[in-house]
Amino acid sequence: MYSEKVMDHFQNPRNVGEIENASGVGTVGNAKCGDIMRIFLDIDEDGIIRDVKFKTFGCGAAVATSSMATELVKGKSIQEALQVTNKAVMEALDGLPPVKVHCSLLAEEAIHAALWDYAEKNGITIEGLEKPKSDISEHEEKIEY
Ligand code: FES
């Protein structure tokens, strides 16, 4: 049911933890399943994501997609990180079962929330970034299968 990559990232998740004094922190939840995701970003003065960590109280698919998402945004610019959609994460994991697609939204939204926090702290606007929702189940209809 799950690809080898999903199982690998679930059993050996990358970048688990917290960053002290992070440049941006984003927390999102899905009220339907009750799962919660928090992402910490360390962004340098050139706008490059130097480090990223995540913590989750979530299902296996949420763990695997967050692990892959952190790998995909590490070392990237803010604009590049915005391109890391849940679809891109799922492709990198060789897919997810349809009932688990919503789990991949947690990581995307948590990254957006952390970038929003970073922008607010620094008084800047990030082009293309919309104010994140704290409950992602409100916009699950945007999920692309
Ligand atoms: Fe809630 Fe997977 S079931 S994130």
mmCIF file of all heavy atoms in Angstrom, residues 4 13 18-19 23 34-35 37-38 46-47 54 56-57 62 65 67 78 80 88-89 91 103 114 119 123 129 138 144:
data_model
loop_
_atom_site.group_PDB
_atom_site.id
_atom_site.type_symbol
_atom_site.label_atom_id
_atom_site.label_comp_id
_atom_site.label_asym_id
_atom_site.label_seq_id
_atom_site.Cartn_x
_atom_site.Cartn_y
_atom_site.Cartn_z
ATOM 1 N N GLU A 4 8.187 2.172 -1.050
ATOM 2 C CA GLU A 4 9.387 1.970 -0.212
ATOM 3 C C GLU A 4 9.878 3.290 0.358
ATOM 4 O O GLU A 4 10.335 3.355 1.497
ATOM 5 C CB GLU A 4 10.508 1.351 -1.049
ATOM 6 C CG GLU A 4 10.462 -0.162 -1.040
ATOM 7 C CD GLU A 4 11.510 -0.771 -1.946
ATOM 8 O OE1 GLU A 4 12.618 -0.219 -2.031
ATOM 9 O OE2 GLU A 4 11.194 -1.800 -2.560
ATOM 10 N N PRO A 13 12.605 9.060 9.881
ATOM 11 C CA PRO A 13 12.306 10.432 9.447
ATOM 12 C C PRO A 13 13.522 11.352 9.577
ATOM 13 O O PRO A 13 14.274 11.259 10.545
ATOM 14 C CB PRO A 13 11.171 10.873 10.373
ATOM 15 C CG PRO A 13 11.151 9.899 11.488
ATOM 16 C CD PRO A 13 11.822 8.647 11.032
ATOM 17 N N GLU A 18 13.621 20.363 16.945
ATOM 18 C CA GLU A 18 13.254 21.774 17.057
ATOM 19 C C GLU A 18 14.485 22.611 16.758
ATOM 20 O O GLU A 18 15.598 22.128 16.883
ATOM 21 C CB GLU A 18 12.824 22.102 18.493
ATOM 22 C CG GLU A 18 11.555 21.431 18.916
ATOM 23 C CD GLU A 18 11.160 21.813 20.340
ATOM 24 O OE1 GLU A 18 11.545 22.909 20.790
ATOM 25 O OE2 GLU A 18 10.488 21.005 20.982
ATOM 26 N N ILE A 19 14.280 23.863 16.394
ATOM 27 C CA ILE A 19 15.394 24.808 16.244
ATOM 28 C C ILE A 19 15.155 25.925 17.253
ATOM 29 O O ILE A 19 14.094 26.564 17.229
ATOM 30 C CB ILE A 19 15.471 25.388 14.820
ATOM 31 C CG1 ILE A 19 15.758 24.267 13.817
ATOM 32 C CG2 ILE A 19 16.535 26.479 14.739
ATOM 33 C CD1 ILE A 19 15.740 24.708 12.361
ATOM 34 N N SER A 23 14.068 31.212 12.795
ATOM 35 C CA SER A 23 13.670 32.410 12.043
ATOM 36 C C SER A 23 12.159 32.442 11.858
ATOM 37 O O SER A 23 11.548 33.503 11.787
ATOM 38 C CB SER A 23 14.314 32.407 10.663
ATOM 39 O OG SER A 23 15.655 32.037 10.712
ATOM 40 N N GLY A 34 -7.291 15.386 13.707
ATOM 41 C CA GLY A 34 -6.670 15.807 14.965
ATOM 42 C C GLY A 34 -5.157 15.865 14.918
ATOM 43 O O GLY A 34 -4.514 16.104 15.934
ATOM 44 N N ASP A 35 -4.566 15.647 13.733
ATOM 45 C CA ASP A 35 -3.114 15.636 13.645
ATOM 46 C C ASP A 35 -2.548 17.055 13.574
ATOM 47 O O ASP A 35 -3.171 17.963 13.027
ATOM 48 C CB ASP A 35 -2.668 14.821 12.425
ATOM 49 C CG ASP A 35 -2.956 13.339 12.623
ATOM 50 O OD1 ASP A 35 -3.300 12.974 13.758
ATOM 51 O OD2 ASP A 35 -2.841 12.569 11.668
ATOM 52 N N MET A 37 1.139 19.498 13.080
ATOM 53 C CA MET A 37 2.498 19.569 12.531
ATOM 54 C C MET A 37 3.122 20.909 12.887
ATOM 55 O O MET A 37 2.462 21.944 12.793
ATOM 56 C CB MET A 37 2.385 19.463 11.007
ATOM 57 C CG MET A 37 3.653 19.640 10.261
ATOM 58 S SD MET A 37 4.676 18.218 10.445
ATOM 59 C CE MET A 37 3.523 16.947 9.948
ATOM 60 N N ARG A 38 4.385 20.882 13.305
ATOM 61 C CA ARG A 38 5.108 22.138 13.554
ATOM 62 C C ARG A 38 6.439 22.098 12.803
ATOM 63 O O ARG A 38 7.152 21.108 12.872
ATOM 64 C CB ARG A 38 5.346 22.319 15.051
ATOM 65 C CG ARG A 38 6.109 23.602 15.373
ATOM 66 C CD ARG A 38 6.102 23.903 16.849
ATOM 67 N NE ARG A 38 4.744 24.240 17.282
ATOM 68 C CZ ARG A 38 4.365 24.264 18.555
ATOM 69 N NH1 ARG A 38 5.205 23.961 19.509
ATOM 70 N NH2 ARG A 38 3.130 24.583 18.880
ATOM 71 N N ASP A 46 20.719 35.893 3.461
ATOM 72 C CA ASP A 46 20.469 35.898 2.011
ATOM 73 C C ASP A 46 19.128 35.245 1.655
ATOM 74 O O ASP A 46 18.827 35.037 0.474
ATOM 75 C CB ASP A 46 21.590 35.140 1.281
ATOM 76 C CG ASP A 46 22.930 35.826 1.457
ATOM 77 O OD1 ASP A 46 22.951 37.074 1.467
ATOM 78 O OD2 ASP A 46 23.948 35.122 1.615
ATOM 79 N N GLY A 47 18.343 34.891 2.680
ATOM 80 C CA GLY A 47 17.041 34.276 2.409
ATOM 81 C C GLY A 47 17.128 32.814 2.025
ATOM 82 O O GLY A 47 16.236 32.280 1.360
ATOM 83 N N PHE A 54 11.219 19.409 12.028
ATOM 84 C CA PHE A 54 9.782 19.306 12.238
ATOM 85 C C PHE A 54 9.460 18.406 13.424
ATOM 86 O O PHE A 54 10.262 17.553 13.822
ATOM 87 C CB PHE A 54 9.066 18.799 10.984
ATOM 88 C CG PHE A 54 9.123 17.294 10.776
ATOM 89 C CD1 PHE A 54 8.094 16.478 11.250
ATOM 90 C CD2 PHE A 54 10.186 16.702 10.123
ATOM 91 C CE1 PHE A 54 8.126 15.098 11.053
ATOM 92 C CE2 PHE A 54 10.220 15.323 9.924
ATOM 93 C CZ PHE A 54 9.198 14.520 10.384
ATOM 94 N N THR A 56 5.849 16.368 14.865
ATOM 95 C CA THR A 56 4.464 16.107 14.515
ATOM 96 C C THR A 56 3.801 15.211 15.535
ATOM 97 O O THR A 56 4.440 14.390 16.175
ATOM 98 C CB THR A 56 4.361 15.469 13.114
ATOM 99 O OG1 THR A 56 2.990 15.382 12.765
ATOM 100 C CG2 THR A 56 4.957 14.073 13.066
ATOM 101 N N PHE A 57 2.514 15.453 15.666
ATOM 102 C CA PHE A 57 1.659 14.532 16.386
ATOM 103 C C PHE A 57 0.709 14.077 15.299
ATOM 104 O O PHE A 57 -0.364 14.611 15.117
ATOM 105 C CB PHE A 57 0.927 15.268 17.508
ATOM 106 C CG PHE A 57 0.142 14.359 18.386
ATOM 107 C CD1 PHE A 57 0.781 13.592 19.353
ATOM 108 C CD2 PHE A 57 -1.225 14.257 18.246
ATOM 109 C CE1 PHE A 57 0.047 12.730 20.155
ATOM 110 C CE2 PHE A 57 -1.961 13.397 19.055
ATOM 111 C CZ PHE A 57 -1.323 12.638 20.002
ATOM 112 N N ALA A 62 1.814 11.529 7.492
ATOM 113 C CA ALA A 62 2.191 12.902 7.838
ATOM 114 C C ALA A 62 3.676 12.957 8.190
ATOM 115 O O ALA A 62 4.385 13.898 7.813
ATOM 116 C CB ALA A 62 1.351 13.404 9.010
ATOM 117 N N THR A 65 5.679 12.479 4.788
ATOM 118 C CA THR A 65 5.625 13.636 3.886
ATOM 119 C C THR A 65 6.370 14.826 4.490
ATOM 120 O O THR A 65 7.017 15.579 3.774
ATOM 121 C CB THR A 65 4.179 14.051 3.546
ATOM 122 O OG1 THR A 65 3.419 14.146 4.748
ATOM 123 C CG2 THR A 65 3.526 13.058 2.615
ATOM 124 N N SER A 67 8.944 14.625 6.532
ATOM 125 C CA SER A 67 10.364 14.310 6.422
ATOM 126 C C SER A 67 10.859 14.643 5.020
ATOM 127 O O SER A 67 11.875 15.322 4.852
ATOM 128 C CB SER A 67 10.554 12.818 6.725
ATOM 129 O OG SER A 67 11.826 12.390 6.360
ATOM 130 N N ILE A 78 13.662 31.051 -0.322
ATOM 131 C CA ILE A 78 12.260 31.117 0.102
ATOM 132 C C ILE A 78 11.331 30.853 -1.084
ATOM 133 O O ILE A 78 10.359 30.102 -0.980
ATOM 134 C CB ILE A 78 11.971 32.491 0.742
ATOM 135 C CG1 ILE A 78 12.700 32.566 2.081
ATOM 136 C CG2 ILE A 78 10.478 32.727 0.902
ATOM 137 C CD1 ILE A 78 12.729 33.937 2.696
ATOM 138 N N GLU A 80 11.954 29.168 -3.782
ATOM 139 C CA GLU A 80 12.022 27.750 -4.162
ATOM 140 C C GLU A 80 11.216 26.907 -3.172
ATOM 141 O O GLU A 80 10.544 25.950 -3.562
ATOM 142 C CB GLU A 80 13.477 27.265 -4.184
ATOM 143 C CG GLU A 80 14.253 27.761 -5.389
ATOM 144 C CD GLU A 80 15.749 27.514 -5.271
ATOM 145 O OE1 GLU A 80 16.286 27.475 -4.138
ATOM 146 O OE2 GLU A 80 16.386 27.376 -6.314
ATOM 147 N N ALA A 88 4.357 17.919 -5.083
ATOM 148 C CA ALA A 88 5.789 17.681 -5.319
ATOM 149 C C ALA A 88 6.333 16.695 -4.286
ATOM 150 O O ALA A 88 7.138 15.823 -4.609
ATOM 151 C CB ALA A 88 6.557 19.009 -5.247
ATOM 152 N N VAL A 89 5.872 16.840 -3.051
ATOM 153 C CA VAL A 89 6.335 15.940 -1.986
ATOM 154 C C VAL A 89 5.854 14.515 -2.264
ATOM 155 O O VAL A 89 6.611 13.550 -2.141
ATOM 156 C CB VAL A 89 5.831 16.421 -0.603
ATOM 157 C CG1 VAL A 89 6.138 15.397 0.471
ATOM 158 C CG2 VAL A 89 6.448 17.762 -0.250
ATOM 159 N N GLU A 91 5.132 13.215 -5.150
ATOM 160 C CA GLU A 91 5.877 12.669 -6.287
ATOM 161 C C GLU A 91 7.246 12.167 -5.840
ATOM 162 O O GLU A 91 7.704 11.114 -6.253
ATOM 163 C CB GLU A 91 6.024 13.731 -7.383
ATOM 164 C CG GLU A 91 4.791 13.759 -8.273
ATOM 165 C CD GLU A 91 4.748 14.980 -9.184
ATOM 166 O OE1 GLU A 91 5.801 15.649 -9.354
ATOM 167 O OE2 GLU A 91 3.661 15.262 -9.688
ATOM 168 N N CYS A 103 -2.932 14.122 4.237
ATOM 169 C CA CYS A 103 -1.853 14.193 5.234
ATOM 170 C C CYS A 103 -0.679 15.011 4.703
ATOM 171 O O CYS A 103 0.008 15.682 5.470
ATOM 172 C CB CYS A 103 -1.378 12.797 5.602
ATOM 173 S SG CYS A 103 -2.714 11.644 5.936
ATOM 174 N N ALA A 114 5.356 28.794 8.639
ATOM 175 C CA ALA A 114 6.664 29.185 9.175
ATOM 176 C C ALA A 114 7.245 30.348 8.365
ATOM 177 O O ALA A 114 7.862 31.262 8.928
ATOM 178 C CB ALA A 114 7.614 27.990 9.161
ATOM 179 N N ALA A 119 8.275 36.210 7.786
ATOM 180 C CA ALA A 119 7.999 37.482 7.113
ATOM 181 C C ALA A 119 7.471 38.513 8.110
ATOM 182 O O ALA A 119 7.883 39.679 8.115
ATOM 183 C CB ALA A 119 6.994 37.266 5.977
ATOM 184 N N GLY A 123 9.138 42.014 9.058
ATOM 185 C CA GLY A 123 8.434 43.114 8.408
ATOM 186 C C GLY A 123 8.563 43.087 6.894
ATOM 187 O O GLY A 123 8.669 44.135 6.257
ATOM 188 N N LEU A 129 2.920 34.301 -1.181
ATOM 189 C CA LEU A 129 2.585 33.598 0.066
ATOM 190 C C LEU A 129 1.300 34.176 0.654
ATOM 191 O O LEU A 129 1.211 35.370 0.915
ATOM 192 C CB LEU A 129 3.725 33.740 1.086
ATOM 193 C CG LEU A 129 3.501 33.061 2.437
ATOM 194 C CD1 LEU A 129 3.403 31.546 2.286
ATOM 195 C CD2 LEU A 129 4.627 33.404 3.411
ATOM 196 N N GLU A 138 -10.136 22.915 6.400
ATOM 197 C CA GLU A 138 -11.039 23.853 5.734
ATOM 198 C C GLU A 138 -10.813 23.903 4.227
ATOM 199 O O GLU A 138 -11.693 24.260 3.482
ATOM 200 C CB GLU A 138 -10.796 25.276 6.259
ATOM 201 C CG GLU A 138 -11.353 25.531 7.617
ATOM 202 C CD GLU A 138 -10.855 26.856 8.158
ATOM 203 O OE1 GLU A 138 -10.575 27.765 7.365
ATOM 204 O OE2 GLU A 138 -10.741 26.947 9.395
ATOM 205 N N GLU A 144 -5.063 17.936 -4.937
ATOM 206 C CA GLU A 144 -5.023 17.357 -6.297
ATOM 207 C C GLU A 144 -4.644 15.891 -6.188
ATOM 208 O O GLU A 144 -3.646 15.558 -5.589
ATOM 209 C CB GLU A 144 -3.944 18.060 -7.119
ATOM 210 C CG GLU A 144 -4.266 19.505 -7.386
ATOM 211 C CD GLU A 144 -3.117 20.161 -8.137
ATOM 212 O OE1 GLU A 144 -2.742 19.621 -9.183
ATOM 213 O OE2 GLU A 144 -2.613 21.158 -7.652
#
